[in-house]
Amino acid sequence: MSLKRRREPVSVDIQAVEVYEDLANENEEIRLKAAQTLLTKVSSEKSPSLEALQKVLKRLFRGLSSSRKAARLGFSVALTEFLRQHCLSDRTDRSVLEVAAVINVLEEQTRAPAGVSGQEERDHYLGRLFGAEAIIKSGILSLPGPPLAQWERVLNLIFELAKKKSWLREECGWVLCAALNDSNTMNTTYVEVLFEKLHLSGLAKTPEGVGLWIAAMQAYPNVKYPKHVWHHGDPLHRKERTSLARILKETSTNHDTEGTPKKTSQRGSWTSRLHFSWDVVFKALLQERPKQLAFSDLWTEAVDSELLLLSKLTNTIQRSNVSKDGLFAAASSDERKYWGFLLFQKYVQILPIASFGTILGPNVLRCMVNQLASAQRYLHRIAEKSLRAIHSRIDQDPQITSLVIERFIANGYANFDHVTKTKTIEKLLNQANLQSMEDIIPMFLQLIDCPNAQDDKGASATRQLLSDYLVSLVRSTPSPSERNLVSAKYHRCMSAITTMLTKHAYFEVITDVNDVSKSPVPPISSGSRGVFKTRLISCLSYLMVKSDNASYYPYNVVNTIRLYETQTDMYTPLMSFDKESDVAELLRKGWKTIDKLHKDEQSADPARTDYLRAFQLLYTLTILQIYNGDADAVSIIDELQSCSKALFASKSPIDRGKASETLVEIILSLVSKPSLLFKRLARQVFTVYTSAVNGNGLDSMIMVLETKETIAGQQEIFEQEDSDGDSDIVMSDVEEVDGETSDAGSSVDGQLQDDNSDAVDDELAEFDAKLAQALGTRRMDEGLAADKEESSDEDMDDDQMEALDEHLETVFRESKKLTSKKNEKKEAKEAIILFKSRVLELLEIYIKQQYLNPQALSIILPILSLVRKTSNKQISEKARNITRDYLKLYKLKDRLNASVPPEEAKLLLEDVHKEAMKEGSNAHANACSQASLLLTKIYISNGGDLSEVLSQYAATQLAFMTESDCHVRTSFFSDWLNWCTSARKALAVQ
C-alpha cells in the first residue's frame, strides 16, 4: 500500500494578496491607496529584481481580464504608473522592462484559451483593450528608445479588436482619440501611422474613424492624412454632409482600399449612451472655418431631418429639402429618438444664440409633443428633461425667449401647452425680459392679424390663444419700479398690446386694395372681437396695479378709440352713436372732462394729482363700458359729471357731501359686479377719497352688509336691469381672471351644500312620493309592491295610459321648477356674498386711513352683527379682521380727530356687550372681544373714566353667571384681563 506524498509548504505573501484584493475594490480611495502601496513596494529605490518586476507585470495584466468588482479600473491605474517607473530609457540598472517584452506579456496574459465561455472570452478582450490603453497612457511608446514597430503592434491589437468585436469598436476608438488629445504620448509620425492603419482596416468611415480624424486635424494640422477618403481630406467639408450624417447615425457604407463599397458592421447592441464622435463633430462645427459644413446643416440632416422656416414677410411656412431619416424622423425607433433627446439636452445648453433656433426644428418639437402628451409614452421622462433644459438655458440667457417661442409657433405648436398639458409657453413668457418682449409682442400681433389658419374656426382659436398669451405677458412682466427697468421700453410694450386689442375689439379694419397685408386675414369674427374685449379688460386690470399712474393705460385706450373714430378711411367703428342722441352728448361732455382732468394733472401739485387721476380713471373706464354696451355706464357718466363739478368746483359743504355720497354709490355699483377690473377700479378711487366719505356714504355700505343672503335680499339691493351683453362681458372678465372669485365661489359652494342639504333631501323625498303616486308603486325603502297585479300596466286601457303620461309630465315639470329655483337661490347667495366681500375690503381701506375719524365707530355694530348672522366663513373672517386691524391701529395715546362725548363711546360699549351675550360662533365672540377692547381704549383716551368700563365688564360677568340666555364666552373676560395686564403701565402713567 503506497502512501500519499506530503505537500510541500508554500509561502504566501499575505500583504500582496491584500493589495491585489484592494485594487478591485469599488471604493476609489481604497483602490488608489492599494496602487500606491504596490508601487512603493517595487519602487526603484528598493532595487527590485527583474524577475520580481515581471511577476508583478504579469499579475497586473492578468487582473485586467477579471470582471470582479472594479478590478479593471484599479489594475489599469496601477499598471500605467508601474510602466512609467520601470520602462524608462534613462535607467542604468538592469531592472528595466523592455517595451517589446511588455507587449508580449500583454498578448500572452490576455489571449483567450480555446473552449472558454463567451463571458470569459469577453473578459479577455476587455483586458487586452485596457492593457493597450495603459501602455499608451504610460507614454513608454513615445520614448526615444522603442522603435516605431512597437507602436504599430499596439495599433494592430486595437484595430484587430475593433474589427473582430463590433461591441468594442467604440471603446477602441475612444482609447485612440484620448491618445490624440494627449500631446505627451504622440508625435506626427505616430499619428500618420495611426491613420494609415485606420484606413487599411476599413474603419475610416465609421463613427470612430470620424471622431479620430477630426480630433487629429485639430491637434495635428500638419500631418499628412490618407488620400481619397474625404473631400479635400476633411470629413467636415460641405460636400460630406450626407455621408457624415449617415456615418454618425451608423447607417453608412464603408470603402476598401480599392474604393469598392462594403458594409461596415454596426455596434453589437444599442446603448443609452451617445457615441463620443457626436460631441467631437458638433463641437468642431461650432468653430467655423471656410468651406466647412455648418452646424445647422448637419443638425437638420442627421437629427431633425426637416426644418420649417417662418417667413416674416409673407407669413408663410417654407420647408427645407433635407433627408428624412434623422434621429427624430417619424419612422425612427424610440432608441434613436432617445439619442436625439440626449443631443438636444447637451446642445441646448451650449449652443450660441445665433444657431440656437436650429435645434428647435419641427421633428424635434413633434416628437417632444407626442412624448409629453401622455405619461405612458416610452420617452416621456426624457422629453420632460429636455423641456427643463430649455427653461434652464433661458434662465441663463433670457434674450433667447423670443427665439424659442417663435420656433414653437413657426412649427405649428402655438397650442403647445394645451396639447402637452403643461404650462411651457406661459412659463417662457414669464421668463421673458423687456428685450425679448420687444420681439415677442410684434410677432404675436402679426400672427393675430394673419394666423395662417386653414379656416375661420381655426383662425379664431389661434387668435384667442395668442390673446391669452398677451394677457400672460402683461400679468407676469414686472413693472419698471419692481426691477428698475427702462420705463419707456416697458410702456411701449404694454401700449402695443392694449392698442392692438382696442383696434380689433371696437373697430373693423378697412381693406386697403393697395396694401392687403394691413388687413386681417381671415377677417376678425364677432366671437374673436368679444375675446379681445375681455382680454383688454383683463390687461387693464393688471396694468392698473402695476403702473404708478393707474389711469395711464385706460386713458390711452379710450384716447385710441377717439383717434380711430376720426380715421374713417382706415377704421369702421363697430358701435356708433347718433350725434344728436343723449349718449353722444354725454360722451362729448365726458371727453371734455377727461381732457381737462388730464391737463390739470400735468400741472397740479402732488397732493391734488391723486384726486384728478382717480376721477380720470373713473371717467375713462366708464366710457369704455359704454362702448362695451353697458347701459348702466350711461347713467354713471351723467352722475360723474355732477359729482366732479361739486368736488372740484363747489365750495358748499352740502354740495360736496352730496357728491361724496354719489361717489360712494358709484363705487358700490362697480363692486357689485364680479369683475376684477371694477374691483380694482373701486379700490383705487376709494383709497383716494376715503377722507371725503361722510356718514351717509358709510350707511350705504353698511346697508349692503345688513342685506339677507337670499333672493329677496338680492332683489332688494340689486336693480335687475342688466342687459345680456353686459352680463356676458362681466362673466367673461371673471372667467379670464384666475382666482378672482374662486375663493368666494368655493366658500359659497361649501356653505350651500351644508345649508341646503336638508332642503334638497326634502325636495327629493317629495318628488319620489309624487312619482310613486303617479306610477302606483312604492319607494324601495318602503318595501316591494304588495302584488304584481297592482304595478302591472296590462290591466290599464289606453285612456288610463294617456292620463298617466300627463300625470308624469306634470311631476317632471314641477321637479324641473324645483331644480331651477334651487339654482336661483344659490346664484343669489353667491352674488350677495361677493358683494359683501367687496364692501368689507373697502371698509378695511377706510379703517386703515380713517381710524381716528369718529364716523368709523358706526361700522362696529354692523360688523359684529354680520359675523354672527352670515353663513359664509370667508365673510366672517374678513369682517373679524376689520375689528382686529382697528384694535391694532388705535393706541391708548391716540385721540379722535373730532370731539366726541365719552358717553357715546360708553353707550356703544354697552351695545357691544349686549351683542356679545347673543349666541354666535367663536369668530363672533372673538370679534366682540376685540370691539370691546377697542371702545375701551377710545373711551379712556378721549376722557372717559376707567371705572365705568370696569362696571360694564362686571355687569356682563354677572349676567353670565345668573342669566341663562346670556351666551358670552369665557374668552371675552380672559381677553379683558390680558389687556389690563398689558395696559396697566400706560394707565398708571396717565
Side-chain angles (χ1 to χ4, degrees), residues 145-167:
L148 188 62
Q150 306 307 322
W151 169 242
E152 294 180 355
R153 287 181 65 189
V154 174
L155 290 178
N156 289 335
L157 290 175
I158 294 176
F159 285 123
E160 181 182 355
L161 284 174
K163 294 181 66 176
K164 189 172 184 179
K165 296 297 179 182
S166 59
W167 50 270

PDB file of all heavy atoms in Angstrom, residues 145-167:
ATOM      1  N   GLY A 145      13.824  55.413 -27.159  1.00  0.00           N
ATOM      2  CA  GLY A 145      14.327  54.061 -27.271  1.00  0.00           C
ATOM      3  C   GLY A 145      13.505  53.126 -28.135  1.00  0.00           C
ATOM      4  O   GLY A 145      14.011  52.528 -29.094  1.00  0.00           O
ATOM      5  N   PRO A 146      12.207  52.925 -27.837  1.00  0.00           N
ATOM      6  CA  PRO A 146      11.424  51.906 -28.543  1.00  0.00           C
ATOM      7  C   PRO A 146      11.263  52.246 -30.017  1.00  0.00           C
ATOM      8  O   PRO A 146      11.010  53.397 -30.391  1.00  0.00           O
ATOM      9  CB  PRO A 146      10.069  51.951 -27.819  1.00  0.00           C
ATOM     10  CG  PRO A 146      10.362  52.620 -26.517  1.00  0.00           C
ATOM     11  CD  PRO A 146      11.463  53.572 -26.774  1.00  0.00           C
ATOM     12  N   PRO A 147      11.398  51.250 -30.881  1.00  0.00           N
ATOM     13  CA  PRO A 147      11.187  51.502 -32.317  1.00  0.00           C
ATOM     14  C   PRO A 147       9.713  51.701 -32.632  1.00  0.00           C
ATOM     15  O   PRO A 147       8.842  51.370 -31.823  1.00  0.00           O
ATOM     16  CB  PRO A 147      11.741  50.224 -32.965  1.00  0.00           C
ATOM     17  CG  PRO A 147      11.574  49.169 -31.914  1.00  0.00           C
ATOM     18  CD  PRO A 147      11.790  49.862 -30.597  1.00  0.00           C
ATOM     19  N   LEU A 148       9.460  52.251 -33.815  1.00  0.00           N
ATOM     20  CA  LEU A 148       8.083  52.515 -34.249  1.00  0.00           C
ATOM     21  C   LEU A 148       7.274  51.222 -34.358  1.00  0.00           C
ATOM     22  O   LEU A 148       6.039  51.243 -34.280  1.00  0.00           O
ATOM     23  CB  LEU A 148       8.128  53.250 -35.596  1.00  0.00           C
ATOM     24  CG  LEU A 148       6.803  53.792 -36.141  1.00  0.00           C
ATOM     25  CD1 LEU A 148       6.212  54.827 -35.201  1.00  0.00           C
ATOM     26  CD2 LEU A 148       7.045  54.392 -37.526  1.00  0.00           C
ATOM     27  N   ALA A 149       7.966  50.128 -34.519  1.00  0.00           N
ATOM     28  CA  ALA A 149       7.278  48.845 -34.676  1.00  0.00           C
ATOM     29  C   ALA A 149       6.415  48.503 -33.450  1.00  0.00           C
ATOM     30  O   ALA A 149       5.365  47.860 -33.576  1.00  0.00           O
ATOM     31  CB  ALA A 149       8.301  47.732 -34.924  1.00  0.00           C
ATOM     32  N   GLN A 150       6.853  48.931 -32.264  1.00  0.00           N
ATOM     33  CA  GLN A 150       6.067  48.623 -31.057  1.00  0.00           C
ATOM     34  C   GLN A 150       4.738  49.394 -31.055  1.00  0.00           C
ATOM     35  O   GLN A 150       3.729  48.893 -30.596  1.00  0.00           O
ATOM     36  CB  GLN A 150       6.888  48.954 -29.803  1.00  0.00           C
ATOM     37  CG  GLN A 150       8.251  48.294 -29.754  1.00  0.00           C
ATOM     38  CD  GLN A 150       8.149  46.782 -29.961  1.00  0.00           C
ATOM     39  OE1 GLN A 150       7.224  46.110 -29.483  1.00  0.00           O
ATOM     40  NE2 GLN A 150       9.131  46.220 -30.709  1.00  0.00           N
ATOM     41  N   TRP A 151       4.786  50.625 -31.556  1.00  0.00           N
ATOM     42  CA  TRP A 151       3.545  51.419 -31.697  1.00  0.00           C
ATOM     43  C   TRP A 151       2.603  50.735 -32.686  1.00  0.00           C
ATOM     44  O   TRP A 151       1.400  50.658 -32.458  1.00  0.00           O
ATOM     45  CB  TRP A 151       3.895  52.827 -32.147  1.00  0.00           C
ATOM     46  CG  TRP A 151       2.725  53.693 -32.583  1.00  0.00           C
ATOM     47  CD1 TRP A 151       2.546  54.220 -33.810  1.00  0.00           C
ATOM     48  CD2 TRP A 151       1.605  54.111 -31.799  1.00  0.00           C
ATOM     49  NE1 TRP A 151       1.377  54.954 -33.865  1.00  0.00           N
ATOM     50  CE2 TRP A 151       0.765  54.904 -32.622  1.00  0.00           C
ATOM     51  CE3 TRP A 151       1.217  53.901 -30.489  1.00  0.00           C
ATOM     52  CZ2 TRP A 151      -0.416  55.474 -32.192  1.00  0.00           C
ATOM     53  CZ3 TRP A 151       0.037  54.474 -30.029  1.00  0.00           C
ATOM     54  CH2 TRP A 151      -0.773  55.248 -30.881  1.00  0.00           C
ATOM     55  N   GLU A 152       3.169  50.202 -33.770  1.00  0.00           N
ATOM     56  CA  GLU A 152       2.353  49.501 -34.751  1.00  0.00           C
ATOM     57  C   GLU A 152       1.745  48.231 -34.153  1.00  0.00           C
ATOM     58  O   GLU A 152       0.610  47.875 -34.451  1.00  0.00           O
ATOM     59  CB  GLU A 152       3.196  49.154 -35.978  1.00  0.00           C
ATOM     60  CG  GLU A 152       3.661  50.371 -36.770  1.00  0.00           C
ATOM     61  CD  GLU A 152       4.484  49.985 -37.974  1.00  0.00           C
ATOM     62  OE1 GLU A 152       4.765  48.779 -38.136  1.00  0.00           O
ATOM     63  OE2 GLU A 152       4.846  50.879 -38.763  1.00  0.00           O
ATOM     64  N   ARG A 153       2.532  47.529 -33.291  1.00  0.00           N
ATOM     65  CA  ARG A 153       1.992  46.322 -32.641  1.00  0.00           C
ATOM     66  C   ARG A 153       0.768  46.655 -31.776  1.00  0.00           C
ATOM     67  O   ARG A 153      -0.244  45.945 -31.809  1.00  0.00           O
ATOM     68  CB  ARG A 153       3.083  45.674 -31.776  1.00  0.00           C
ATOM     69  CG  ARG A 153       4.177  44.978 -32.550  1.00  0.00           C
ATOM     70  CD  ARG A 153       5.171  44.363 -31.589  1.00  0.00           C
ATOM     71  NE  ARG A 153       4.537  43.297 -30.793  1.00  0.00           N
ATOM     72  CZ  ARG A 153       5.118  42.709 -29.753  1.00  0.00           C
ATOM     73  NH1 ARG A 153       6.343  43.076 -29.383  1.00  0.00           N
ATOM     74  NH2 ARG A 153       4.485  41.749 -29.091  1.00  0.00           N
ATOM     75  N   VAL A 154       0.862  47.759 -31.030  1.00  0.00           N
ATOM     76  CA  VAL A 154      -0.281  48.159 -30.171  1.00  0.00           C
ATOM     77  C   VAL A 154      -1.478  48.540 -31.033  1.00  0.00           C
ATOM     78  O   VAL A 154      -2.623  48.166 -30.737  1.00  0.00           O
ATOM     79  CB  VAL A 154       0.132  49.322 -29.237  1.00  0.00           C
ATOM     80  CG1 VAL A 154      -1.077  49.828 -28.476  1.00  0.00           C
ATOM     81  CG2 VAL A 154       1.226  48.873 -28.276  1.00  0.00           C
ATOM     82  N   LEU A 155      -1.214  49.278 -32.117  1.00  0.00           N
ATOM     83  CA  LEU A 155      -2.320  49.655 -33.012  1.00  0.00           C
ATOM     84  C   LEU A 155      -2.967  48.427 -33.630  1.00  0.00           C
ATOM     85  O   LEU A 155      -4.205  48.356 -33.768  1.00  0.00           O
ATOM     86  CB  LEU A 155      -1.819  50.592 -34.105  1.00  0.00           C
ATOM     87  CG  LEU A 155      -1.424  52.005 -33.674  1.00  0.00           C
ATOM     88  CD1 LEU A 155      -0.905  52.796 -34.877  1.00  0.00           C
ATOM     89  CD2 LEU A 155      -2.592  52.727 -33.031  1.00  0.00           C
ATOM     90  N   ASN A 156      -2.129  47.452 -34.018  1.00  0.00           N
ATOM     91  CA  ASN A 156      -2.688  46.224 -34.596  1.00  0.00           C
ATOM     92  C   ASN A 156      -3.604  45.512 -33.604  1.00  0.00           C
ATOM     93  O   ASN A 156      -4.665  44.983 -33.972  1.00  0.00           O
ATOM     94  CB  ASN A 156      -1.555  45.293 -35.038  1.00  0.00           C
ATOM     95  CG  ASN A 156      -0.826  45.820 -36.260  1.00  0.00           C
ATOM     96  OD1 ASN A 156      -1.391  46.580 -37.044  1.00  0.00           O
ATOM     97  ND2 ASN A 156       0.436  45.426 -36.427  1.00  0.00           N
ATOM     98  N   LEU A 157      -3.184  45.478 -32.332  1.00  0.00           N
ATOM     99  CA  LEU A 157      -4.026  44.847 -31.309  1.00  0.00           C
ATOM    100  C   LEU A 157      -5.379  45.556 -31.193  1.00  0.00           C
ATOM    101  O   LEU A 157      -6.435  44.925 -31.102  1.00  0.00           O
ATOM    102  CB  LEU A 157      -3.297  44.866 -29.957  1.00  0.00           C
ATOM    103  CG  LEU A 157      -2.081  43.946 -29.804  1.00  0.00           C
ATOM    104  CD1 LEU A 157      -1.418  44.178 -28.448  1.00  0.00           C
ATOM    105  CD2 LEU A 157      -2.497  42.483 -29.946  1.00  0.00           C
ATOM    106  N   ILE A 158      -5.338  46.904 -31.195  1.00  0.00           N
ATOM    107  CA  ILE A 158      -6.574  47.683 -31.020  1.00  0.00           C
ATOM    108  C   ILE A 158      -7.486  47.545 -32.232  1.00  0.00           C
ATOM    109  O   ILE A 158      -8.692  47.296 -32.103  1.00  0.00           O
ATOM    110  CB  ILE A 158      -6.226  49.166 -30.752  1.00  0.00           C
ATOM    111  CG1 ILE A 158      -5.497  49.298 -29.406  1.00  0.00           C
ATOM    112  CG2 ILE A 158      -7.500  50.014 -30.757  1.00  0.00           C
ATOM    113  CD1 ILE A 158      -5.032  50.698 -29.082  1.00  0.00           C
ATOM    114  N   PHE A 159      -6.931  47.691 -33.451  1.00  0.00           N
ATOM    115  CA  PHE A 159      -7.774  47.593 -34.647  1.00  0.00           C
ATOM    116  C   PHE A 159      -8.286  46.169 -34.856  1.00  0.00           C
ATOM    117  O   PHE A 159      -9.382  45.968 -35.380  1.00  0.00           O
ATOM    118  CB  PHE A 159      -6.992  48.066 -35.875  1.00  0.00           C
ATOM    119  CG  PHE A 159      -6.839  49.552 -35.951  1.00  0.00           C
ATOM    120  CD1 PHE A 159      -5.588  50.147 -36.030  1.00  0.00           C
ATOM    121  CD2 PHE A 159      -7.955  50.375 -35.930  1.00  0.00           C
ATOM    122  CE1 PHE A 159      -5.457  51.521 -36.086  1.00  0.00           C
ATOM    123  CE2 PHE A 159      -7.832  51.761 -35.989  1.00  0.00           C
ATOM    124  CZ  PHE A 159      -6.574  52.334 -36.057  1.00  0.00           C
ATOM    125  N   GLU A 160      -7.514  45.189 -34.425  1.00  0.00           N
ATOM    126  CA  GLU A 160      -7.970  43.803 -34.515  1.00  0.00           C
ATOM    127  C   GLU A 160      -9.196  43.597 -33.617  1.00  0.00           C
ATOM    128  O   GLU A 160     -10.170  42.950 -34.024  1.00  0.00           O
ATOM    129  CB  GLU A 160      -6.850  42.855 -34.104  1.00  0.00           C
ATOM    130  CG  GLU A 160      -7.241  41.380 -34.189  1.00  0.00           C
ATOM    131  CD  GLU A 160      -6.122  40.460 -33.724  1.00  0.00           C
ATOM    132  OE1 GLU A 160      -5.021  40.970 -33.425  1.00  0.00           O
ATOM    133  OE2 GLU A 160      -6.353  39.251 -33.626  1.00  0.00           O
ATOM    134  N   LEU A 161      -9.133  44.174 -32.415  1.00  0.00           N
ATOM    135  CA  LEU A 161     -10.292  44.096 -31.511  1.00  0.00           C
ATOM    136  C   LEU A 161     -11.503  44.818 -32.106  1.00  0.00           C
ATOM    137  O   LEU A 161     -12.629  44.334 -32.038  1.00  0.00           O
ATOM    138  CB  LEU A 161      -9.949  44.722 -30.155  1.00  0.00           C
ATOM    139  CG  LEU A 161      -9.066  43.904 -29.212  1.00  0.00           C
ATOM    140  CD1 LEU A 161      -8.715  44.736 -27.978  1.00  0.00           C
ATOM    141  CD2 LEU A 161      -9.781  42.629 -28.798  1.00  0.00           C
ATOM    142  N   ALA A 162     -11.255  46.005 -32.701  1.00  0.00           N
ATOM    143  CA  ALA A 162     -12.356  46.799 -33.249  1.00  0.00           C
ATOM    144  C   ALA A 162     -13.056  46.080 -34.382  1.00  0.00           C
ATOM    145  O   ALA A 162     -14.284  46.160 -34.531  1.00  0.00           O
ATOM    146  CB  ALA A 162     -11.834  48.156 -33.722  1.00  0.00           C
ATOM    147  N   LYS A 163     -12.299  45.387 -35.218  1.00  0.00           N
ATOM    148  CA  LYS A 163     -12.896  44.681 -36.349  1.00  0.00           C
ATOM    149  C   LYS A 163     -13.509  43.354 -35.931  1.00  0.00           C
ATOM    150  O   LYS A 163     -14.540  42.929 -36.471  1.00  0.00           O
ATOM    151  CB  LYS A 163     -11.833  44.440 -37.425  1.00  0.00           C
ATOM    152  CG  LYS A 163     -11.317  45.726 -38.072  1.00  0.00           C
ATOM    153  CD  LYS A 163     -10.289  45.426 -39.127  1.00  0.00           C
ATOM    154  CE  LYS A 163     -10.893  44.693 -40.295  1.00  0.00           C
ATOM    155  NZ  LYS A 163      -9.928  44.472 -41.382  1.00  0.00           N
ATOM    156  N   LYS A 164     -12.867  42.704 -34.955  1.00  0.00           N
ATOM    157  CA  LYS A 164     -13.331  41.383 -34.561  1.00  0.00           C
ATOM    158  C   LYS A 164     -14.593  41.452 -33.713  1.00  0.00           C
ATOM    159  O   LYS A 164     -15.500  40.619 -33.868  1.00  0.00           O
ATOM    160  CB  LYS A 164     -12.217  40.665 -33.793  1.00  0.00           C
ATOM    161  CG  LYS A 164     -12.507  39.198 -33.520  1.00  0.00           C
ATOM    162  CD  LYS A 164     -11.278  38.528 -32.924  1.00  0.00           C
ATOM    163  CE  LYS A 164     -11.515  37.030 -32.740  1.00  0.00           C
ATOM    164  NZ  LYS A 164     -10.327  36.341 -32.175  1.00  0.00           N
ATOM    165  N   LYS A 165     -14.655  42.427 -32.807  1.00  0.00           N
ATOM    166  CA  LYS A 165     -15.796  42.568 -31.905  1.00  0.00           C
ATOM    167  C   LYS A 165     -16.402  43.967 -32.066  1.00  0.00           C
ATOM    168  O   LYS A 165     -15.825  44.962 -31.623  1.00  0.00           O
ATOM    169  CB  LYS A 165     -15.362  42.351 -30.444  1.00  0.00           C
ATOM    170  CG  LYS A 165     -14.852  40.934 -30.163  1.00  0.00           C
ATOM    171  CD  LYS A 165     -15.964  39.899 -30.393  1.00  0.00           C
ATOM    172  CE  LYS A 165     -15.474  38.500 -30.150  1.00  0.00           C
ATOM    173  NZ  LYS A 165     -16.522  37.474 -30.418  1.00  0.00           N
ATOM    174  N   SER A 166     -17.551  44.022 -32.725  1.00  0.00           N
ATOM    175  CA  SER A 166     -18.168  45.322 -33.013  1.00  0.00           C
ATOM    176  C   SER A 166     -18.568  46.062 -31.742  1.00  0.00           C
ATOM    177  O   SER A 166     -18.583  47.290 -31.703  1.00  0.00           O
ATOM    178  CB  SER A 166     -19.382  45.136 -33.920  1.00  0.00           C
ATOM    179  OG  SER A 166     -20.339  44.284 -33.293  1.00  0.00           O
ATOM    180  N   TRP A 167     -18.883  45.308 -30.674  1.00  0.00           N
ATOM    181  CA  TRP A 167     -19.300  45.967 -29.440  1.00  0.00           C
ATOM    182  C   TRP A 167     -18.140  46.644 -28.718  1.00  0.00           C
ATOM    183  O   TRP A 167     -18.333  47.410 -27.782  1.00  0.00           O
ATOM    184  CB  TRP A 167     -19.986  44.975 -28.504  1.00  0.00           C
ATOM    185  CG  TRP A 167     -19.233  43.689 -28.270  1.00  0.00           C
ATOM    186  CD1 TRP A 167     -19.337  42.544 -28.986  1.00  0.00           C
ATOM    187  CD2 TRP A 167     -18.258  43.448 -27.249  1.00  0.00           C
ATOM    188  NE1 TRP A 167     -18.503  41.581 -28.485  1.00  0.00           N
ATOM    189  CE2 TRP A 167     -17.821  42.109 -27.402  1.00  0.00           C
ATOM    190  CE3 TRP A 167     -17.722  44.208 -26.226  1.00  0.00           C
ATOM    191  CZ2 TRP A 167     -16.871  41.522 -26.580  1.00  0.00           C
ATOM    192  CZ3 TRP A 167     -16.767  43.639 -25.393  1.00  0.00           C
ATOM    193  CH2 TRP A 167     -16.351  42.309 -25.565  1.00  0.00           C
TER     194      TRP A 167
END
